[in-house]
Amino acid sequence: MGFLSRSKGSILLVEDSALTRFYSRRLLENNGYEVAEAASGEEALVKIRERLDPFDLVIIDINLPGIDGLTTIEKIKAIPHYRYVPVMILTVEAKISTVKQAIQVGAIEYLCKPFSTEQLLQRVERLIGRSEDPREILERLLRLEINRAKRGNSKFSLVLAQRTAAGRFNTASVKRLLQKKLREIDEVLMLDDNLLALVLPLTDKEGAATVIKKLQEWVAEKGWRFGLAVYPENGGNGKELFGYAQTAISKS
């Protein structure tokens, strides 16, 4: 279907060693994950509060300057949205007492330093799963919505939003904004650095046009083009719907 890149599970890496952060971030990003860095507990808490939706995983060193790792985990777990977000600690030596303390405050996994690339990836994949190609996610969502629409004799819409110029927000931030603004049943996928896909159940052409208008108001910046496809009139399967929406973008 022509989608690009993989979706990224989001990870907050809290580590005071610049070298460890560099290699860990490069490894995780090369394997499809979105990684944000923090060099201290204080910085980690700021990044968590500034983010619109929770990280999928927090990896945190026990020995941090200022607020230590255990205290930072306690503060993170006190935030309602982070109650069920997995936390993995990094530690130079896995003392039973330290691991027990970490588990008591909310950690569920630990990794001893120095660690291998294989060890880090195995732990991350075990906690939040392998990164998944957005084309597969969108294909699955479209199949699901087509089956629902057939059973309920209803419609749904696919909206593609393409960025054509730089703006105040990056595309990932726009995605998070839309997830916060749209209905719970709506889905937003980031297909690449400049392309978002919105799957809008129980939404006809008029309803989707209203969503596009609201999106323009929410983002409040120029440089976006939109393509709309409605099931069943614009396509009988996911490939046809995506192609129709792509063509609509080129004509807009």
Side-chain angles (χ1 to χ4, degrees):
M1 293 173 66
F3 302 157
L4 302 175
S5 77
R6 290 179 290 179
S7 64
K8 304 173 180 68
S10 56
I11 299 171
L12 176 61
L13 176 62
V14 191
E15 167 63 62
D16 62 327
S17 166
L19 190 61
T20 301
R21 289 201 312 273
F22 173 77
Y23 284 113
S24 299
R25 178 171 187 164
R26 186 172 68 173
L27 171 68
L28 293 168
E29 288 183 337
N30 285 345
N31 282 272
Y33 297 98
E34 172 195 347
V35 182
E37 297 179 27
S40 67
E42 292 89 344
E43 185 181 359
L45 292 168
V46 168
K47 292 202 170 186
I48 283 172
R49 293 183 182 117
E50 289 178 345
R51 188 177 171 91
L52 291 177
D53 56 345
F55 289 99
D56 297 310
L57 170 65
V58 177
I59 301 175
I60 182 168
D61 188 9
I62 286 293
N63 299 308
L64 292 171
I67 303 176
D68 64 37
L70 294 176
T71 304
T72 303
I73 295 172
E74 284 186 300
K75 290 181 178 293
I76 290 173
K77 287 298 179 178
I79 300 170
H81 292 317
Y82 280 81
R83 183 178 178 184
Y84 299 109
V85 171
V87 174
M88 178 170 71
I89 63 168
L90 302 177
T91 177
V92 176
E93 53 180 332
K95 290 182 179 179
I96 294 177
S97 58
T98 302
V99 174
K100 281 185 176 180
Q101 279 183 292
I103 291 172
Q104 288 171 352
V105 297
I108 62 172
E109 183 61 275
Y110 73 91
L111 185 58
C112 291
K113 298 193 292 186
F115 49 81
S116 68
T117 57
E118 292 81 7
Q119 287 175 319
L120 178 58
L121 281 178
Q122 285 173 359
R123 297 293 202 288
V124 171
E125 288 173 359
R126 189 159 62 204
L127 291 173
I128 61 174
R130 295 177 180 271
S131 57
E132 190 174 9
D133 192 323
R135 79 189 77 184
E136 296 173 356
I137 300 173
L138 183 55
E139 287 170 357
R140 186 169 66 247
L141 285 174
L142 292 177
R143 284 197 303 270
L144 177 63
E145 290 307 325
I146 287 171
N147 289 336
R148 286 176 176 170
K150 284 180 178 178
R151 290 197 303 269
N153 192 26
S154 59
K155 298 182 178 183
F156 76 90
S157 294
L158 169 66
V159 175
L160 297 182
Q162 184 177 62
R163 180 191 289 277
T164 60
R168 293 181 301 157
F169 309 107
N170 61 31
T171 307
S173 296
V174 174
K175 174 195 170 186
R176 291 192 289 270
L177 174 64
L178 296 183
Q179 287 174 322
K180 186 176 180 180
K181 293 283 190 179
L182 292 171
R183 302 171 300 176
E184 288 186 0
I185 63 172
D186 298 328
E187 295 284 351
V188 185
L189 295 174
M190 182 172 166
L191 303 183
D192 64 38
D193 290 340
N194 297 302
L195 185 63
L196 296 173
L198 287 68
V199 180
L200 310 174
L202 304 173
T203 305
D204 58 14
K205 183 177 181 180
E206 183 178 345
T210 299
V211 170
I212 291 173
K213 184 177 179 181
K214 288 182 178 179
L215 188 155
Q216 292 171 312
E217 294 173 355
W218 293 333
V219 178
E221 63 182 26
K222 298 180 180 179
W224 286 88
R225 294 192 301 173
F226 302 94
L228 168 61
V230 181
Y231 177 85
E233 50 258 51
N234 300 139
N237 58 49
K239 185 176 181 180
E240 291 176 356
L241 290 169
F242 186 80
Y244 190 95
Q246 271 190 320
T247 301
I249 284 180
S250 65
K251 292 180 178 179
S252 64

